Amino acid sequence: EMSVSARPKAPLEAGHIIMISNILDTSDPLHKLFFVAMVIQFFGCLRKSNLLPPSLRAFSSFHHLTRGDIHQVPGAIILTLPWMKNLQNKSDIVTLPIADVPGSIINPVEIYNSFTAECPLPSPKLPAFSLIRAGKLITLSQQQYIDILKQYLTRLNPPAEAYSSHSVRRG
């Protein structure tokens, strides 16, 4: 019996991210976290498994980005990834620069720096895409990320089922 393979998800392009930025609900902390995470995923070509934990309880500072893994330097941010699914040598650490894109609506450095200035965390060991509201840590999970991405794509009217979190990496 022949199996039918799943159709690959469509790539999310810079234009999609710009359109999402135009309708982003910045009053919702999860949507703010989502947007910053999406921009970092897009420019870093990251898997959601590196970017976000499945839940706060399942967070691992070895597997998921922490605030301390993202270093702000002039003209760039540098991600330190101690774990990646496709690393052959488990002792390797990947450093990934994401360059400033002056004048861009979706400048990853400007978006990330603005986010961390507005939403500082008390420890660099906390999940990168977290913020504190009313004394409580709010962390974006992988499923929340996917759900919010689908919400925005539905509003923009491309077929949301044609996209997934991997679409951001593919773009």
Side-chain angles (χ1 to χ4, degrees):
E1 194 174 312
M2 191 180 227
S3 69
V4 177
S5 63
R7 175 168 279 185
K9 297 297 185 181
L12 200 79
E13 298 170 0
H16 292 105
I17 297 172
I18 291 168
M19 288 188 292
I20 290 170
S21 76
N22 290 330
I23 60 171
L24 187 68
D25 179 3
T26 56
S27 68
D28 185 325
L30 283 177
H31 288 241
K32 188 177 290 195
L33 290 169
F34 158 78
F35 186 72
V36 177
M38 180 180 58
V39 168
I40 298 301
Q41 182 185 20
F42 181 80
F43 283 95
C45 298
L46 297 172
R47 288 182 170 83
K48 73 178 178 196
S49 59
N50 284 110
L51 195 69
L52 303 164
S55 67
L56 183 55
R57 180 169 284 165
F59 170 71
S60 160
S61 61
F62 180 72
H63 288 97
H64 309 111
L65 276 177
T66 67
R67 205 50 87 79
D69 291 331
I70 304 175
H71 311 281
Q72 298 164 316
V73 298
I77 51 177
I78 299 178
L79 283 57
T80 302
L81 302 165
W83 178 86
M84 290 184 80
K85 176 178 154 182
N86 58 348
L87 274 182
Q88 299 302 307
N89 182 350
K90 297 299 180 193
S91 65
D92 285 346
I93 293 177
V94 173
T95 55
L96 176 69
I98 297 177
D100 193 20
V101 185
S104 172
I105 295 169
I106 54 169
N107 180 338
V109 174
E110 186 178 295
I111 289 168
Y112 184 76
N113 289 345
S114 175
F115 165 69
T116 58
E118 182 185 337
C119 305
L121 289 177
S123 169
K125 296 185 184 292
L126 291 172
F129 303 102
S130 297
L131 51 78
I132 296 180
R133 286 291 183 265
K136 183 178 177 185
L137 182 68
I138 298 171
T139 298
L140 185 66
S141 72
Q142 292 175 8
Q143 190 59 55
Q144 289 168 321
Y145 179 83
I146 293 165
D147 292 346
I148 295 168
L149 176 63
K150 297 259 182 192
Q151 286 173 26
Y152 281 109
L153 290 173
T154 298
R155 284 181 62 191
L156 294 173
N157 210 16
E161 64 277 355
Y163 297 89
S164 70
S165 62
H166 189 69
S167 297
V168 181
R169 183 172 191 255
R170 287 191 66 211

